[in-house]
């Protein structure tokens, strides 16, 4: 649980920190700081200790299980590889310029085109790819789920018609959707010069399919539970259907919608990693899978780096949604945690 | 950001248009520019993908005006499907894949190849437990097993397992893979029946009438699958045999060089539709890869250590350098400590390794027939027709001649394209001594003890 | 006396799982322009049901309400409602809560500037100018109810319907608001129907008190004219015999004639929610 925040939305411990910096020193506050900063730090340290000691005892066929130091080292390696790859990229563009210039001289009809770098994606590139995919998938899911949820919430007949489908599709794992989506994308998304790669479309759709349910359900529940008094206000004012939705229903249901969106984003992120792993779509999931396949003595350490990155990014995504919710939603209580 | 970067670049190019004058004249290609400059080529994490990695890293693709992205694929099926549906422009394929796809075993699609990527490079590994049992039946000399080890030594082990009611599971990488046929050839040569396919009856497990159960496992997962006890052994390309030694979980018993000396292994496959649409691109890819193959074998494998460093990168094969180095630099470790020299374990260029021989294609077709993947008898002419439909030495010849004209390769390293028939002389170096003549596939099938004969039907 | 609003033989029967339930029957009432009417009765007697029928939030099964010669069949701003629990939109400020009503009612009739003046005028009427940019969760219950009244008034209704508007407030706040309401009524001459179960409030504010019998099948029991002169002063009236007689009459009706004997199977609250199901579920 996180500490409740003051009105400005500033966490209590930052305020404490500020007052400490200003020299306001109270024993109560020190205890509070110890509680709110010290305990998490202690928790981390204990975890790292257990990890360090435990890892030494686990002997896998790829060598000793990586401890904190090895993982930190692999983190540095991954960064170094990233820098090296950027260097190669610069060389690639230089060579290409020369080549294009040569060709323009002998082939005047040629319209110079600059080709994107073809080198391998580094760990950090994979993170960006994953983020782009998850955001597009999540956006698509939200664009479908919120309006559909509103319609279902407003009409009991729609609810009756669609609810069984929701209940059936909601628990379906990304692994089951993936082959179907892959085939569908191959069949439908045919273009010689596609805007985006098929694999991107496939993972994006899989993410959407798996992540739209919490938003859909929470939106419809949020809409159903709009206070009857507010509905009466709307009726007395004779608001049209559209204004009713925009001015009464949507703001009312917004806290619930956001609850759904946060759940959805969490699911989207988890699903994405699995989808990338299975479908060999670029991204963090593929990174993990490739490293597993490589089976080098460094692989486990590199996978651990990815595990931390995945967890940390998932956490940041959730915090970002929470901030968005605090900023957008009137009901600050709903955005406490 | 990318946009502005690109804009800036194009301005630079325009400047160069006026300044670079000395460069005129050295690009005298007869083959036109590539129809498609940006290519995505798939591969499986195996050391014999090396020609692709080298062509990329050494800039051979770029020399042909090709901007290639190399992408590791999960397994052979995914790789083939993505070549068929166009997500990949071409791929590092099992020699049997273009043939199998074209005759419609598995996924039906017309795939062609104009380049053989390498010879040999596979091995058969069994788990430590199986090796302990097997070793008792292997002839020894100076405390070391006498090579090649025949499957005769495995037979009693399998019988023992069967008597205990344990099915003897072995892994191979794909139904039409070299590994499947090599493993079957080795087993059958030792009197062990590897099982028939019967696609006409809907049976594609390949386990009919078998003494052992062969199943598909993707190459990089072979060691971990054996470690998990799901399979007792496997046939796979490098580095996955050496990996078992390093992990201490199994022992390679034989390399495919000893089963059939200089057997064709991987090819570069593209869909025939793609090849028709992009003839120049195709030739240029082949050119770049021939150069890469030459680099790999140059000066008696002098470049191999550098190749190992490249292959060890996580985006290529990614295994530890020492594991890859073992086979790539001409040694092979059998039992831990029993390292032997196998200079021809991986052949990329010498002995016309890159040339797509019809006779190689036909050998694969005979094996498909032998094990029932081709369900009915076919005349010799059918074997010829399929080989010519799939193997395209004509494209290879154009590419090689271009390189010769450009002075990048020597004519003596290639067959005489005017007189070359595409058939190697009858080959004698099989583990069971049976002679293979590619011009007479049905006669060859008659000579093999275990397996379907010309008119047999399941 | 010319009637602006006329209820004739109004009755309503709800379908419940336990069979039909007649909440009110044969309610007859004529209300003149500018009149202040209170509906009083024990809880559950159907006061709110009557009000909701006038508001158009409920459809009468028998008879009906006629406003300015036209039958009422749906809600509308000419019959603005002040709800018991203010019903402000929590995500809007006081100003915006009034604005949403003004925009809807005066769309195309008032310019932007006129609308702004009108909103501010109405907020001033209920003494809320100082807090007009605060949101409901930042102001007190009494202030919320003032904004609710401002919103209703801003619709320029022919009849102002108030459903126990001060029921949830403490006594002091309630007295304040009652005084404000009397002021506004005097200034605007609005026609008001107010539901209350506070006898003092009814006598203080009303021109007539309509006393309802207990349900089921509740109807108008007695109607009492309050002829006390206006403006009325609550302190002065405390010792006024006429005032106390009126009080007495109402109390008599409630606690002698209509003494509550048994629980009513359906409260007005659940009647409201069953209406909700019919209309929006």
């Amino acid at each position: 649980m996180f500490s409740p925040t003051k009105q400005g939305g500033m966490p209590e411990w930052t305020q404490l920190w500020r007052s400490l910096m200003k020299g306001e020193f109270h024993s109560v506050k020190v205890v509070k700081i110890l509680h709110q900063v010290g305990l998490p730090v202690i928790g981390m340290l204990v975890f790292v200790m257990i990890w360090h000691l435990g890892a030494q005892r686990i002997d896998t066929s790829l060598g000793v299980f990586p401890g904190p130091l090895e993982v930190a080292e692999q983190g540095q390696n991954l960064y170094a590889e990233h820098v090296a790859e950027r260097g190669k990229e610069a060389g690639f563009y230089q060579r290409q310029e020369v080549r294009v210039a040569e060709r323009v001289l002998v082939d005047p009809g040629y319209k110079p085109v600059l080709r994107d770098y073809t080198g391998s994606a580094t760990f950090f590139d994979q993170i960006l790819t994953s983020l782009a995919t998850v955001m597009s998938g999540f956006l698509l899911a939200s664009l479908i789920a919120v309006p559909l949820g509103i319609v279902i919430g407003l009409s009991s007949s729609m609810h009756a018609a669609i609810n069984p489908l929701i209940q059936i599709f909601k628990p379906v794992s990304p692994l089951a959707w993936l082959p179907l989506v892959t085939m569908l994308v191959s069949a439908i998304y045919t273009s010689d010069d596609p805007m985006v790669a098929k694999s991107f479309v496939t993972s994006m759709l899989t993410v959407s399919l798996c992540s739209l349910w919490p938003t859909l359900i929470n939106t419809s529940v949020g809409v159903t539970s709009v206070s009857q008094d507010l509905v009466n206000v709307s009726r007395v004012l004779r608001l049209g259907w559209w204004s009713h939705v925009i001015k009464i229903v949507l703001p009312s249901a917004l806290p619930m919608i956001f609850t759904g969106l946060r759940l959805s984003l969490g699911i989207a992120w988890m699903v994405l990693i699995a989808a990338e792993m299975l479908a060999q779509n670029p991204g963090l999931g593929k990174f993990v899978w490739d490293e597993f396949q490589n089976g080098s003595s460094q692989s486990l350490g590199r996978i651990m780096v990815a595990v931390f990155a995945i967890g940390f990014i998932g956490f940041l995504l959730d915090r970002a949604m929470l901030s968005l919710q605090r900023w957008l939603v009137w009901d600050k209580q709903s955005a406490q945690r | 950001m990318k946009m502005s970067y690109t804009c800036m670049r194009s301005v630079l190019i325009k400047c160069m248009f006026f300044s670079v004058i000395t460069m005129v004249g050295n690009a005298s290609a007869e083959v036109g520019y590539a129809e498609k400059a940006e290519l995505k080529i798939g591969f499986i994490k195996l050391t014999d993908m090396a020609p692709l990695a080298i062509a990329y890293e050494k800039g051979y693709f770029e020399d042909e005006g090709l901007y290639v992205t190399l992408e590791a694929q999960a397994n052979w099926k995914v790789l083939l499907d993505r070549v068929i549906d166009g997500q990949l422009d071409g791929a590092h394929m099992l020699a049997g894949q273009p043939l199998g796809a074209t005759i419609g075993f598995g996924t039906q699609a017309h795939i062609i190849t104009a380049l053989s990527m390498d010879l040999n490079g596979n091995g058969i590994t069994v788990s430590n437990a199986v090796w302990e049992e097997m070793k008792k039946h292997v002839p020894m000399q100076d405390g070391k097993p006498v090579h090649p080890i025949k499957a005769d030594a495995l037979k009693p082990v399998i019988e023992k397992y069967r008597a205990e009611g344990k099915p003897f599971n072995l892994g191979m990488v794909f139904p039409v893979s070299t590994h499947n046929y090599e493993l079957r050839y080795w087993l059958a040569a030792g009197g062990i029946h590897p099982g028939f396919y019967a696609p006409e009856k809907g049976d594609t497990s390949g386990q009919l009438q078998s003494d052992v159960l062969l199943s598909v496992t993707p190459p990089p997962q072979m060691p971990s699958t054996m470690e998990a006890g799901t399979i007792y052994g496997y046939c796979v390309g490098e580095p996955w045999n050496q990996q078992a030694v390093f992990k201490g979980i199994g022992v390679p018993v034989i390399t495919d060089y000893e089963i059939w000396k200089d057997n064709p292994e991987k090819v570069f496959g593209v869909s025939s539709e793609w090849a028709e649409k992009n003839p120049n691109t195709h030739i240029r890819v082949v050119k770049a890869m021939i150069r890469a193959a030459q680099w790999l074998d140059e000066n008696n494998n002098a470049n191999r250590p550098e190749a190992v460093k490249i292959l060890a990168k996580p985006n290529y094969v990614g295994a530890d350098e020492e594991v890859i180095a073992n086979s790539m630099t001409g040694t092979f470790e059998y039992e831990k400590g029993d390292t032997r020299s196998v200079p021809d374990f991986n052949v990329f260029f010498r002995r016309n390794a890159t040339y797509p021989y019809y006779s190689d294609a036909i050998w694969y077709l005979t094996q498909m027939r032998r094990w029932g993947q081709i369900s009915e008898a076919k005349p010799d002419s059918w074997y010829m027709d399929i080989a010519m439909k799939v193997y395209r030495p004509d494209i290879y010849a154009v590419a090689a001649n271009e390189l010769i004209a450009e002075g990048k390769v020597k004519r003596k390293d290639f067959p005489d394209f005017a007189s070359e028939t595409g058939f190697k002389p009858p080959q004698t170096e099989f583990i069971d001594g049976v002679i293979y003549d590619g011009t007479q596939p049905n006669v060859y099938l008659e000579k093999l003890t275990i397996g379907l004969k010309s008119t047999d039907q399941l | 006396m010319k009637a602006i609003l006329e209820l004739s033989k109004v009755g309503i029967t709800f379908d419940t799982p336990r069979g039909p339930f007649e909440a009110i029957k044969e309610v007859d009432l004529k209300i003149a322009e500018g009149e202040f009417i209170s509906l009083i009765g024990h809880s559950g007697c159907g006061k709110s049901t009557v009000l909701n029928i006038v508001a158009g939030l409920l459809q009468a099964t028998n008879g009906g309400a006629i406003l300015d010669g036209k039958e009422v069949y749906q809600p509308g701003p000419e019959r603005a409602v002040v709800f018991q629990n203010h019903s402000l939109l929590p995500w809007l400020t006081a100003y915006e809560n009034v604005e949403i009503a003004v925009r809807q009612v005066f769309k195309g009739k008032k310019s932007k500037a006129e609308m702004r003046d009108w909103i501010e005028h109405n907020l001033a009427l209920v003494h809320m100018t100082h807090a007009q940019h605060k949101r409901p969760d930042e102001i007190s219950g009494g202030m919320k109810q003032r904004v609710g009244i401002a919103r209703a008034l801003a619709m320029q209704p022919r009849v102002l319907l108030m459903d126990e508007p001060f029921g949830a407030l403490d006594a002091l706040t309630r007295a304040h608001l009652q005084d404000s309401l009397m002021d506004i009524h005097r200034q605007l001459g609005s026609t008001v129907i107010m539901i209350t179960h506070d006898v003092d409030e009814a006598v203080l504010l009303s021109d007539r008190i309509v006393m309802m019998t207990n349900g089921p099948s509740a109807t108008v029991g007695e109607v009492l004219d309050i002829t006390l002169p206006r403006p009325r002063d609550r302190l002065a009236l405390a010792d006024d015999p006429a005032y106390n007689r009126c009080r007495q009459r109402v109390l008599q009706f409630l606690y002698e004639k209509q003494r509550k004997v048994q629980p009513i199977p359906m409260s007005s609250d659940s009647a409201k929610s069953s209406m909700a199901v019919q209309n929006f579920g």
Side-chain angles (χ1 to χ4, degrees), chain B residues 76-90:
Chain B
W76 292 112
K77 165 128 179 62
V78 166
L79 174 139
L80 181 62
D81 287 345
R82 297 184 78 183
V83 169
I84 293 170
D85 76 8
Q87 289 191 62
L88 294 174
D89 293 290

Side-chain angles (χ1 to χ4, degrees), chain A residues 103-332:
Chain A
R103 174 158 175 188
V104 167
L105 287 180
V106 292
D107 181 13
Y110 176 64
K111 268 185 76 184
V113 194
L114 258 175
R115 314 289 175 179
D116 286 339
Y117 181 53
T118 57
S120 62
T122 66
F123 181 63
F124 299 92
D125 298 336
Q126 304 279 37
I127 290 179
L128 289 182
T129 313
S130 281
L131 279 175
T133 319
V134 84
M135 287 328 277
S136 351
F138 171 66
L139 212 65
L140 180 69
S142 309
L143 285 178
I144 295 168
V146 173
L148 193 61
I150 291 175
V151 171
I152 293 173
L154 285 177
S155 146
S156 58
S157 354
M158 280 296 279
H159 181 263
I162 296 179
N163 192 44
L165 292 175
I166 297 178
Q167 300 306 327
I168 289 172
F169 288 133
K170 188 179 61 164
V172 177
S173 128
L175 281 64
W177 283 119
L178 201 72
L180 296 177
V181 174
T182 310
M183 287 296 130
L184 271 181
V185 170
S186 298
I188 295 166
Y189 187 66
T190 47
S191 149
D192 282 342
D193 188 23
M195 281 270 291
V196 286
K198 268 185 190 172
S199 59
F200 175 83
V201 178
T202 309
S203 12
M204 186 189 84
L205 288 181
T206 309
V207 165
S208 300
L209 271 175
C210 294
S211 70
L212 64 82
W213 310 110
T215 306
L216 183 58
I217 292 166
N218 277 284
T219 305
S220 72
V221 170
V223 169
T224 319
S225 47
V226 172
S227 140
Q228 190 55 45
D229 286 322
L230 299 190
V231 173
N232 282 343
V233 168
S234 165
R235 292 179 68 202
V236 167
L237 284 172
R238 284 201 196 139
L239 293 180
W241 187 86
W242 184 245
S243 328
H244 175 66
V245 168
I246 296 294
K247 291 182 174 160
I248 310 286
V249 173
L250 204 56
S252 249
L254 212 52
M256 280 294 274
I257 294 179
F258 261 95
T259 308
L261 287 173
R262 275 176 70 197
L263 285 171
S264 280
L265 187 57
I267 290 179
W269 184 241
M270 277 202 277
V271 164
L272 178 77
I273 303 296
E276 286 170 347
M277 214 179 246
L278 203 73
Q280 296 294 292
N281 295 322
L284 274 174
K286 183 165 163 58
F287 174 86
V288 170
W289 184 247
D290 282 351
E291 283 300 336
F292 174 60
Q293 293 217 321
N294 287 348
S296 84
S297 50
Q298 304 180 332
S299 290
L300 290 181
R302 294 159 75 98
I303 290 173
M304 283 298 280
V305 176
V307 166
F308 283 116
I310 290 167
F312 191 62
I313 290 168
F315 169 71
L316 287 186
L317 285 177
D318 191 58
R319 288 283 115 173
M321 275 306 282
L322 195 62
S323 308
L324 192 66
Q325 180 174 7
R326 288 215 176 108
W327 183 57
L328 276 178
V329 173
W330 49 274
D331 184 2
K332 304 299 170 198

Side-chain angles (χ1 to χ4, degrees), chain A residues 60-62 78 81 85 88-108 110 112-121 182-183 185-186 190 192 197-199 202 277-282 286-287 289-299 302, chain B residues 2 5-7 9-10 12-13 16-18 20-27 33-34 36-40 45 56-57 59 62-65 67-75 78 81-82 85-87 218 220-221 224 227 240 243 246-247 249 277 313-320:
Chain A
T60 73
S61 59
L62 292 180
L78 285 169
E81 279 165 28
E85 196 66 32
K88 280 177 79 177
E89 180 173 359
F92 172 88
Y93 282 116
Q94 269 173 11
R95 290 195 303 278
Q96 193 178 172
E97 277 161 20
V98 174
R99 221 166 252 122
V100 168
E102 280 176 30
R103 174 158 175 188
V104 167
L105 287 180
V106 292
D107 181 13
Y110 176 64
V113 194
L114 258 175
R115 314 289 175 179
D116 286 339
Y117 181 53
T118 57
S120 62
T182 310
M183 287 296 130
V185 170
S186 298
T190 47
D192 282 342
K198 268 185 190 172
S199 59
T202 309
M277 214 179 246
L278 203 73
Q280 296 294 292
N281 295 322
K286 183 165 163 58
F287 174 86
W289 184 247
D290 282 351
E291 283 300 336
F292 174 60
Q293 293 217 321
N294 287 348
S296 84
S297 50
Q298 304 180 332
S299 290
R302 294 159 75 98
Chain B
K2 193 118 227 169
Y5 190 64
T6 312
C7 287
R9 296 276 165 182
S10 68
L12 271 173
I13 287 166
M16 288 197 168
F17 179 83
F18 297 105
V20 184
I21 300 164
T22 49
M23 290 178 182
V24 191
N26 65 2
Y33 291 109
K36 191 171 179 205
E38 280 167 290
L39 302 178
K40 189 181 264 186
K45 287 177 175 284
Y56 180 88
E57 295 289 334
E62 289 179 30
D63 287 349
E64 301 296 332
Y67 299 95
V68 173
T69 305
L70 297 177
E71 198 183 88
Q73 307 296 310
N75 57 55
V78 166
D81 287 345
R82 297 184 78 183
D85 76 8
Q87 289 191 62
Q221 272 125 273
S224 44
E227 200 178 357
W240 310 119
Q243 184 80 283
F246 274 73
K247 285 174 145 193
I249 57 171
K277 244 199 281 183
K313 287 190 190 173
N315 51 318
Y316 296 131
V317 180
D320 285 343

Side-chain angles (χ1 to χ4, degrees), chain C residues 142-159:
Chain C
M143 288 162 98
K144 282 183 227 180
Q145 204 49 276
R146 283 174 192 270
V147 179
I149 293 170
R151 180 173 65 186
L153 289 174
M155 297 179 208
Q156 241 174 14
R158 296 288 289 137
V159 183

Side-chain angles (χ1 to χ4, degrees), chain B residues 11-221:
Chain B
V11 170
L12 271 173
I13 287 166
K14 278 170 197 150
C15 297
M16 288 197 168
F17 179 83
F18 297 105
S19 58
V20 184
I21 300 164
T22 49
M23 290 178 182
V24 191
N26 65 2
S28 62
E30 272 178 46
V31 173
Y33 291 109
E35 294 86 357
K36 191 171 179 205
E38 280 167 290
L39 302 178
K40 189 181 264 186
I41 295 179
F43 68 90
I44 296 288
K45 287 177 175 284
L46 291 163
T47 50
D48 57 18
M49 62 74 66
L52 284 169
I54 298 305
Y56 180 88
E57 295 289 334
K58 293 286 153 194
Y60 299 153
F61 282 133
E62 289 179 30
D63 287 349
E64 301 296 332
L66 301 173
Y67 299 95
V68 173
T69 305
L70 297 177
E71 198 183 88
Q73 307 296 310
N75 57 55
W76 292 112
K77 165 128 179 62
V78 166
L79 174 139
L80 181 62
D81 287 345
R82 297 184 78 183
V83 169
I84 293 170
D85 76 8
Q87 289 191 62
L88 294 174
D89 293 290
H92 164 231
M93 281 187 190
L94 295 158
Q97 271 187 312
L99 294 161
T102 304
I103 66 170
F105 180 76
T107 319
Q108 158 79 54
H110 189 184
I111 305 287
I112 65 166
T113 176
L115 180 91
S116 162
M117 283 176 72
D118 64 322
L119 304 180
N120 311 324
N122 299 328
I124 295 172
T125 296
V126 296
S127 69
N128 289 335
V130 171
W131 173 242
E132 282 311 312
E133 295 281 330
M134 204 176 151
K135 210 173 171 182
K136 298 172 193 161
H137 309 281
V138 175
M140 305 292 269
Q141 196 178 10
D142 306 331
K144 279 186 174 182
V146 178
H147 282 223
I149 296 171
K150 296 197 173 182
D152 305 58
L154 182 63
K155 201 171 181 184
V157 184
I158 292 172
E159 274 157 12
K160 191 176 164 227
Y161 273 71
R162 289 185 62 172
E164 288 166 12
K166 283 192 271 186
F168 201 86
N169 296 317
L170 291 171
M172 48 85 182
V173 307
F174 203 60
V176 297
S177 68
T178 332
H179 319 82
N180 187 19
Y181 303 126
E182 284 167 357
L183 183 56
R184 282 163 180 272
Y185 200 100
W186 181 68
L187 291 169
I192 302 164
H193 199 305
F196 287 127
Y197 291 84
E200 72 278 14
K201 293 181 190 156
D203 189 319
T204 51
S205 65
Q207 298 174 344
L208 294 174
Q209 303 175 22
S210 65
D211 298 329
V212 291
L213 298 180
L214 268 54
S215 58
V216 170
T217 304
Q221 272 125 273

